[in-house]
Amino acid sequence: MVLSELIPDDLMINILSRLPVQSLVFFRFLNKSWHSLITDDPAFKALNLHLHSSDRNSNYVIIIPNVFFIERRLSRVIFCYTNFATAYAVCPIPFRTATNHYRVLCSCNGVLCMANSPIDTNFMCRIHDPPINDNLICISVYLWNPTVRKFKILPPYTPWGNRKLMSNTFGVGPGHRDHDFLVINIIYFYDEYARTYNGQRRPLAMVYSLNTKSWSSVAESVVVPCFAYDYPTAFVNGAIHWKAFSFALNEPVIMYFNTAERVFGEIWLPDKSFDPHMHEVHSRVAVFNGLLAFIVISRLHPAYRRVCDIWVMNEYGVVQSWTQRFAIPIPEAIWFDRPLGITKNNQLLVGLDRKYFDGELIFT
């Protein structure tokens, strides 16, 4: 009799759920029942994620080139530990896109949502500007979990109409109601007469479920209130968050999509996060200690030193609870210009200036 048959099922589930994902990758090949539990049971995955969501002893940063010119498609992985030690590894990308371009749209809980678009589409869209070409809508989308070495190519969804007048944005996050994992695709249609993405044809929101393996539209009564124009997203308080531009307020806000209730909403930015005299402003939504955060890198005058401000919303949804937690001076000798996020062990992740470096990332 093997050991797994001597241990009660509930105790075995409790033991396995406490193992890190790297160990589960190995254990799923030791026993058929374990393989089924680890690979296919959504409740087990949710339990394992819950037990490890607060683990800040280590995280990893994965660096993926935008395009590969050789057959081997290798990404670089940097493991970051709380004592500031680092380790490096390579991770092959298990799928190939039709264009050989690879762009990470967003991520959540170690799952990357990627597209084969050769350009950063959302940075090239503005609320009142028409799309510049038909590359601004991503059709081929991939989900990849580098830790368990699994990927999925999502079935394409193409709305009717002129693709040259469309733009879309994505977000990913867990659907806690039924232990699902969701991908949301928001498609905007440019109205050439009204010069807006919120014209006669309203934005369309589609949700892909890993449980059902299909796309579905949100309720017709649900309105997309903003033009989301930046990646990556931040998953906080059961909702996906984007930096966005409000159609009604006509100003920048944070837009969210609640994955359980499947509704959109807006959150105002901190009152003092932007100054009309700011130069070279780069901002990003993020997560800090489980709270919604907003990062701004700017300089108040061309001759002044750049500063990285980190704002944290202490009480979710309460605008008055925004607090400037950090104001970090940036030495001119450091060539980074855009925030990318905050790791679970509170390391700030930034991108190096593209004028001097080719797509590298650093963390502090």
Side-chain angles (χ1 to χ4, degrees), residues 188-206:
Y188 298 94
F189 307 93
Y190 186 73
D191 190 319
E192 294 181 285
Y193 299 100
R195 294 183 56 81
T196 178
Y197 282 95
N198 191 40
Q200 185 175 3
R201 192 175 180 186
R202 301 291 176 168
L204 174 65
M206 302 294 298

Side-chain angles (χ1 to χ4, degrees), residues 213-228:
K213 299 179 176 60
S214 62
W215 290 100
S216 62
S217 59
V218 299
E220 292 186 6
S221 59
V222 175
V223 176
V224 180
C226 307
F227 180 80

Side-chain angles (χ1 to χ4, degrees), residues 60-77 89-105 112-116 141-153:
Y60 65 86
V61 176
I62 188 165
I63 303 175
I64 303 174
N66 291 328
V67 61
F68 289 93
F69 298 101
I70 58 176
E71 183 63 28
R72 296 188 67 197
R73 301 174 297 281
L74 299 178
S75 58
R76 286 193 293 152
V77 182
V90 295
C91 181
I93 298 177
F95 57 89
R96 184 169 188 169
T97 68
T99 62
N100 278 333
H101 289 271
Y102 296 79
R103 186 162 63 87
V104 178
L105 303 175
L112 307 182
C113 180
M114 303 175 63
N116 65 351
V141 180
Y142 311 81
L143 291 180
W144 178 36
N145 189 329
T147 305
V148 299
R149 304 171 188 176
K150 295 182 68 176
F151 73 95
K152 183 175 184 60
I153 302 175

Side-chain angles (χ1 to χ4, degrees), residues 17 21 43-55 108-110 174 176 181 344:
S17 64
V21 175
F44 174 82
K45 294 178 182 178
L47 177 60
N48 180 261
L49 176 63
H50 172 73
L51 292 174
H52 291 276
S53 60
S54 59
D55 180 14
C108 184
N109 297 337
H176 293 296
F181 191 84
K344 283 186 177 180

Side-chain angles (χ1 to χ4, degrees), residues 8 34 36 43 60 81 88 91 140 157 166 171 193 222 228-229 243 257 259 261-262 299 310 323 335 337 350:
W34 292 0
S36 177
Y60 65 86
Y81 302 95
Y88 299 87
C91 181
S140 299
Y157 177 82
M166 298 179 193
Y193 299 100
V222 175
Y229 61 89
K243 195 172 72 173
F257 177 75
T259 58
E261 300 177 3
R262 301 203 177 186
R299 64 173 86 226
I310 300 179
T323 303
W335 299 103
D337 68 343
V350 297

